[in-house]
Amino acid sequence: MSDDKKVILKIEHLTKEFEIKSKKLGEKPQILHALNDVSVDVYEGETLGVIGESGCGKSTFGRTLIQLHKATAGTVTFEGKNLFSLKGQELKQVKKDIQMVFQDPYSSLDPRKTAGKLIEEPLIVHKLVPDKAAREARVLELMREVGLDIQHVHRFPHEFSGGQRQRINVARALAMNPKVIVCDEPVSALDVSIQAQVLNLFNRLQKEHNLTYIFISHDLGVIKHVSDRIAILYLGRIVELCDADAIYENPMHPYTKALLSAIPPVSPFEKKERIVLKGDIPSPIGDQIGCPLAGRCPNCMEKCKKETPQLKDTGDGHQVACFQYE
C-alpha cells in the first residue's frame, strides 16, 4: 500500500485482557490475554483481511475496535481522534462512521421486528431522516441496494434465508453512511453459492461508497478474494502483515507457511507438501513469555523461548514477527 494513501484508522498497541475468576475463595483471578499489543494502520478505501484459527482473537479484535469490549491498553485513532477518549455526542457521531456486520445474521436481528423496521431503526436512533415518508423511501432504497426485494419489507427475520438476513444486516450498516465497516466472519454461516453473492455485494458496495473494510475470517479463500492486505493473527498477536498477493506467493512466518499448506491443491496432479505444526497450542492464560509459536515451530531457537519478536519490515511493506529475519 503506497505512502500517499490516507490512514483512516490507526491502531496502536491494542491489548485486551479478560479476568477469569477463580472458584476457590480468596484466590486471585487469572488473566486471559485475548489481544497482545496489536498495531496496524488501516488505509482509506482498502480491505484489510484478518485471518487466523479459532480462538486467536479475531472477533475480540473487531469488537474492541467498535468498543463492544473495553480495551485494556492501546489506542485507536480515527481521522485524528482517539476513539477511547471520546464521550457523549462525539462518540455517538464516530460510532455512526464505524459499523459492524456480525457473524450470525439471525442472532443480530430482533425477531419481533420486520425487515423494514430493522433497517429503519438506525435512521431513527441517529435522527438521520426525521421525515417518516422520506425514511420509508430510504429503507426501500437500501433494500434495493443490497439485493433484497422491496416486497419483503414486512417480513420477519425467520421468514428469510441466511443470505437474505445477512443482506438486512448490511443494509442496516449502510443506513448510517459509514466510512469503515468491520465484517466479523460475515459469510461463514452461509452456503458456498450464497457466500460468493454476498462477497460480490461487499465488493460492489465498497466501490460505490468508498468504504473501508476490516474483514475477519478463518477462510483463506474468502480472504484472498476480498483483501488488499492481510494480517495473520496467532494467539492474539499479528505475526505477519503484507499485501494479499505477497502472503500467498512468499509467506515468511512459519505459522503462515503451515496455514497456507492446508489449502488443497487446485489440480489432483499437483504435489503439495503439508506442514504440520506439532505440539500443543500454548495457553493464552497467565504470563506470556517468548514467541507464541515457540513450542510448535520447526525453526525454534533459544531466543524464541525467552523474547517476543516484534513486527519488522523486511522490504516492500512485508512485515513479519520472527527472529529468523533479523
Side-chain angles (χ1 to χ4, degrees), residues 69-106:
H69 293 320
K70 194 172 188 290
T72 308
T75 57
V76 176
T77 309
F78 173 70
E79 296 191 325
K81 295 174 186 168
N82 178 7
L83 294 188
F84 300 156
S85 65
L86 301 179
K87 288 183 173 66
Q89 197 55 43
E90 210 175 3
L91 179 62
K92 193 176 178 183
Q93 177 60 36
V94 168
K95 281 193 168 181
K96 182 172 79 65
D97 289 334
I98 304 173
Q99 289 294 303
M100 189 160 185
V101 176
F102 293 92
Q103 181 173 357
D104 184 352
Y106 190 58

Side-chain angles (χ1 to χ4, degrees), residues 47-177:
T47 299
L48 174 70
V50 179
I51 193 160
E53 59 198 53
S54 293
C56 72
K58 304 186 299 292
S59 293
T60 303
F61 175 62
R63 286 163 181 262
T64 308
L65 282 183
I66 67 160
Q67 298 187 54
L68 282 178
H69 293 320
K70 194 172 188 290
T72 308
T75 57
V76 176
T77 309
F78 173 70
E79 296 191 325
K81 295 174 186 168
N82 178 7
L83 294 188
F84 300 156
S85 65
L86 301 179
K87 288 183 173 66
Q89 197 55 43
E90 210 175 3
L91 179 62
K92 193 176 178 183
Q93 177 60 36
V94 168
K95 281 193 168 181
K96 182 172 79 65
D97 289 334
I98 304 173
Q99 289 294 303
M100 189 160 185
V101 176
F102 293 92
Q103 181 173 357
D104 184 352
Y106 190 58
S107 66
S108 49
L109 298 173
D110 187 338
R112 298 164 299 178
K113 290 185 174 175
T114 61
K117 292 291 178 201
L118 286 163
I119 297 167
E120 187 185 24
E121 189 177 30
L123 300 173
I124 297 168
V125 170
H126 287 268
K127 302 181 173 66
L128 293 176
V129 187
D131 180 61
K132 193 171 186 292
R135 212 163 47 231
E136 285 171 0
R138 176 73 178 132
V139 167
L140 295 178
E141 184 191 329
L142 284 162
M143 287 184 79
R144 277 192 210 97
E145 199 164 359
V146 298
L148 285 169
D149 203 311
I150 56 169
Q151 69 189 28
H152 296 160
V153 72
H154 300 299
R155 276 195 194 176
F156 289 91
H158 72 271
E159 297 176 281
F160 290 100
S161 69
Q164 287 172 323
R165 284 181 205 140
Q166 199 58 294
R167 287 171 192 268
I168 296 170
N169 281 314
V170 174
R172 274 166 66 84
L174 271 187
M176 316 294 286
N177 296 318

Side-chain angles (χ1 to χ4, degrees), residues 3-32:
D3 296 332
D4 58 351
K5 276 277 189 183
K6 178 188 166 193
V7 175
I8 192 167
L9 211 59
K10 192 172 188 66
I11 301 154
E12 294 175 288
H13 310 295
L14 189 64
T15 302
K16 176 62 190 167
E17 295 167 351
F18 294 100
E19 274 194 359
I20 302 172
K21 289 190 169 65
S22 175
K23 289 178 183 174
K24 291 178 185 171
L25 208 64
E27 206 171 89
K28 272 187 171 179
Q30 290 182 298
I31 301 297
L32 186 149

Side-chain angles (χ1 to χ4, degrees), residues 187-203:
V187 296
S188 66
L190 309 177
D191 292 341
V192 175
S193 58
I194 306 299
Q195 278 186 12
Q197 292 173 19
V198 174
L199 290 174
N200 290 336
L201 169 69
F202 275 114
N203 281 341

